[in-house]
């Protein structure tokens, strides 16, 4: 625990620190809860392999959180709890670089909030989807050109496919032979990878300010009412597609399994939960989305799940260098779970059409 405590010296203004403990379950950054005389805070070490332009990233977060805070104020909401705040170091910088080159930041801790790994019921999932729908609506008037692209081509699915093929060709760990079935599954979906990308290129889908990592555990709920309070993990806020934000909520939430389930017979995509996500998301974002955007939501669900599976499989082939793992084969299990979910979405594809499309 020495390094986090050392880093906190850059925030003398927080007063004496009593405890620093690991917090949350992110796959990329290291997160700690800081408790001290001045209250509770979140401390994070930013993964600088993943995020190379930390200053651009912190600037994005500052711009977006300030914008949301202002929107919340105007709507008469609870400013202290409905957006997180970046707490600058004593010298005014948004993050602190230590002697080893690690970057640290401090964020406000939202009191009376909970973060769930799995929805306990439909209402939890509805609140998650609604929180990301609201995020998109609140940022509807934000000029996306002010944002740095923190991970270039983050949800460029055709590019993710190319990265996957390269990892298969290189096979640096000698693992490809073991996962031929999974490789084949991805290859059968090569053409699908282009679907939303091409629509956007043709001007049929607009670029919006999107969150790009819209899973349940990136939303804080009020511990008393269990209503969505605030969206967290803003590292990947960038210009993007609304279908992707909707889709990642479905990927993580519209099922009854863990993301890294080892037993594929326990993995079930649940269409009724898909509808809950759709209702929740549209309850907030519906008024700003175009008819075309609403029509392609199911593609967002399928492609975010496929893309995430490709990324886990790519990382497995490359030796688990990107996503944190706690056990061998965890990335392979994560990939398999995503592919099972894709298959099950395909099995009920017609039923996932937007209500309007169904009514035609
Ligand atoms: C990562 O850091 P975390 O766990 O919120 C990843 C997402 C993946 C997700 C899979 C920057 O998010 O893209 O969808 O894991 N974030 C980054 O659970 O790559
Ligand atoms: Mg996260």
């Amino acid at each position: 625990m020495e390094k986090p405590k050392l880093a906190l010296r850059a925030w003398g203004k927080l007063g004496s620190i009593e405890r620093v403990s690991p917090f949350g379950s992110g796959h990329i950054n290291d997160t700690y809860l800081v408790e001290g005389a001045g209250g509770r805070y979140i401390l994070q070490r930013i993964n600088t392999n993943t995020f190379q332009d930390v200053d651009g990233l912190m600037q994005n977060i500052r711009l977006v959180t300030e914008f949301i805070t202002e929107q919340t104020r105007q709507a008469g909401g609870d400013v202290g709890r409905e957006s997180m705040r970046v707490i600058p170091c004593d010298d005014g910088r948004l993050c602190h670089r230590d002697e080893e080159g690690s970057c640290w930041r401090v964020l406000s801790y939202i009191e009376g909030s909970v973060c769930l790994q799995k929805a306990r019921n439909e209402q939890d999932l509805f609140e998650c989807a609604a929180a990301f729908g609201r995020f998109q609506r609140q940022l509807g008037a934000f000029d996306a050109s002010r944002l740095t692209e923190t991970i270039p081509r983050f949800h460029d699915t055709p590019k993710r496919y190319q990265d996957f093929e390269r990892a298969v060709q290189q096979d640096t760990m000698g693992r490809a032979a073991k996962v031929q079935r999974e490789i084949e599954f991805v290859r059968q979906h090569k053409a699908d990878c282009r679907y939303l990308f091409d629509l956007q290129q043709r001007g049929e889908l607009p670029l919006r300010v999107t969150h790009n990592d819209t899973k349940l555990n990136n939303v804080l709920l009020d511990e008393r009412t269990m209503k969505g309070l605030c969206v967290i993990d803003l590292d990947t806020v960038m210009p993007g597609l609304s279908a992707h934000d909707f889709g990642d909520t479905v990927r993580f939430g519209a099922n009854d399994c863990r993301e890294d389930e080892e037993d594929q017979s326990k993995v079930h995509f649940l269409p009724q939960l898909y509808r809950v996500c759709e209702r929740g998301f549209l309850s907030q974002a519906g008024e700003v989305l175009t008819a075309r955007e609403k029509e392609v939501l199911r593609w967002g669900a399928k492609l975010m799940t496929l893309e995430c599976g490709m990324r886990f499989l790519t990382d497995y082939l490359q030796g688990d260098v990107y996503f944190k793992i706690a056990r061998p084969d965890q990335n392979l299990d994560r990939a398999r779970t995503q592919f099972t979910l894709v298959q099950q979405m395909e099995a009920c594809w017609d039923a996932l059409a937007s209500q309007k499309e169904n009514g035609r």
Side-chain angles (χ1 to χ4, degrees):
M1 199 46 60
E2 270 318 298
K3 284 175 191 167
K5 281 199 170 144
L6 226 53
L8 280 169
R9 291 195 188 154
W11 284 267
K13 62 168 118 179
L14 301 184
S16 66
I17 305 297
E18 278 151 28
R19 198 165 26 177
V20 181
S21 33
F23 195 69
S25 60
H27 298 344
I28 307 292
N29 296 324
D30 298 324
T31 305
Y32 304 89
L33 177 66
V34 177
E35 297 168 275
R40 298 205 272 187
Y41 301 90
I42 294 295
L43 171 72
Q44 285 188 306
R45 174 165 40 201
I46 304 170
N47 183 326
T48 46
N49 287 326
T50 305
F51 299 106
Q52 308 203 339
D53 177 7
V54 175
D55 292 333
L57 176 149
M58 290 308 297
Q59 185 63 9
N60 277 2
I61 297 181
R62 193 177 65 81
L63 289 170
V64 164
T65 50
E66 285 178 2
F67 196 86
I68 293 178
T69 300
E70 188 47 37
Q71 299 263 316
T72 306
R73 192 188 317 279
Q74 284 172 17
D78 183 344
V79 172
R81 298 179 78 220
E82 292 179 28
S83 177
M84 59 180 205
R85 239 168 350 104
V86 180
I87 301 182
C89 315
D90 293 343
D91 67 8
R93 278 185 248 200
L94 298 179
C95 63
H96 163 69
R97 201 176 282 267
D98 69 17
E99 280 150 16
E100 292 172 2
S102 293
C103 283
W104 299 83
R105 68 178 167 208
V106 172
L107 304 165
S108 57
Y109 176 83
I110 298 191
E111 293 295 341
S113 68
V114 288
C115 176
L116 301 176
Q117 292 309 317
K118 199 75 214 158
R120 302 157 313 159
N121 50 44
E122 294 192 358
Q123 189 58 29
D124 290 343
L125 192 58
F126 180 93
E127 289 299 326
C128 166
F132 287 113
R134 183 172 63 216
F135 181 82
Q136 204 150 115
R137 179 168 54 73
Q138 284 179 322
L139 290 165
F142 185 96
D143 174 8
S145 69
R146 294 167 74 199
L147 295 177
T148 302
E149 216 183 340
T150 53
I151 301 180
R153 305 177 70 185
F154 189 59
H155 283 324
D156 177 338
T157 316
K159 189 240 175 210
R160 295 289 189 180
Y161 183 86
Q162 287 168 11
D163 293 348
F164 153 78
E165 277 292 359
R166 197 172 327 109
V168 175
Q169 299 314 328
Q170 292 174 341
D171 192 21
T172 48
M173 306 299 288
R175 291 177 172 177
K178 184 181 159 191
V179 293
Q180 281 306 310
R181 255 184 345 148
E182 289 73 17
I183 291 173
E184 198 39 48
F185 181 85
V186 175
R187 287 185 170 151
Q188 282 164 4
H189 288 82
K190 180 176 179 190
D192 280 351
C193 292
R194 300 205 63 84
Y195 188 79
L196 291 174
F197 183 86
D198 286 347
L199 288 181
Q200 194 271 320
Q201 295 273 300
R202 290 208 298 270
E204 291 184 39
L205 295 174
L207 278 182
R208 298 185 178 279
V209 178
T210 46
H211 180 281
N212 296 308
D213 189 9
T214 54
K215 45 184 186 175
L216 178 73
N217 62 16
N218 282 333
V219 178
L220 299 182
L221 304 170
D222 183 300
E223 69 180 6
R224 211 171 38 81
T225 63
M226 294 312 279
K227 291 257 176 221
L229 261 183
C230 170
V231 159
I232 57 171
D233 198 350
L234 304 180
D235 296 327
T236 51
V237 174
M238 285 181 274
L241 298 179
S242 54
H244 286 161
D245 267 9
F246 169 73
D248 207 38
T249 297
V250 172
R251 173 187 79 78
F252 197 76
N255 57 57
D256 58 358
C257 59
R258 295 195 325 265
E259 189 183 56
D260 61 349
E261 179 55 61
E262 289 158 83
D263 175 357
Q264 293 303 300
S265 73
K266 292 192 182 148
V267 177
H268 302 101
F269 169 70
L270 299 173
Q272 74 273 23
L273 293 188
Y274 176 92
R275 288 285 171 226
V276 170
C277 293
E278 188 181 47
R279 274 205 313 280
F281 191 71
L282 292 178
S283 71
Q284 294 289 326
E287 63 190 73
V288 297
L289 301 189
T290 66
R292 194 81 177 106
E293 282 180 290
K294 291 179 193 168
E295 266 168 31
V296 301
L297 288 177
R298 63 179 172 163
W299 277 96
K302 173 164 149 176
L303 293 188
M304 277 300 91
T305 311
L306 177 66
E307 182 190 283
C308 204
M310 285 197 292
R311 294 173 61 200
F312 288 141
L313 185 58
T314 302
D315 197 33
Y316 176 75
L317 290 168
Q318 293 178 331
D320 309 304
V321 290
Y322 186 89
F323 295 105
K324 288 186 205 168
I325 53 165
R327 57 175 172 82
D329 288 357
Q330 192 172 9
N331 274 320
L332 178 56
D333 292 327
R334 288 170 175 152
R336 285 182 171 148
T337 300
Q338 307 315 301
F339 298 150
T340 304
L341 291 171
V342 169
Q343 246 166 357
Q344 296 189 8
M345 287 180 202
E346 289 174 337
C348 60
W349 189 240
D350 292 343
L352 301 183
S354 71
Q355 304 290 1
K356 180 166 163 276
E357 232 180 293
N358 266 340
R360 270 191 210 152

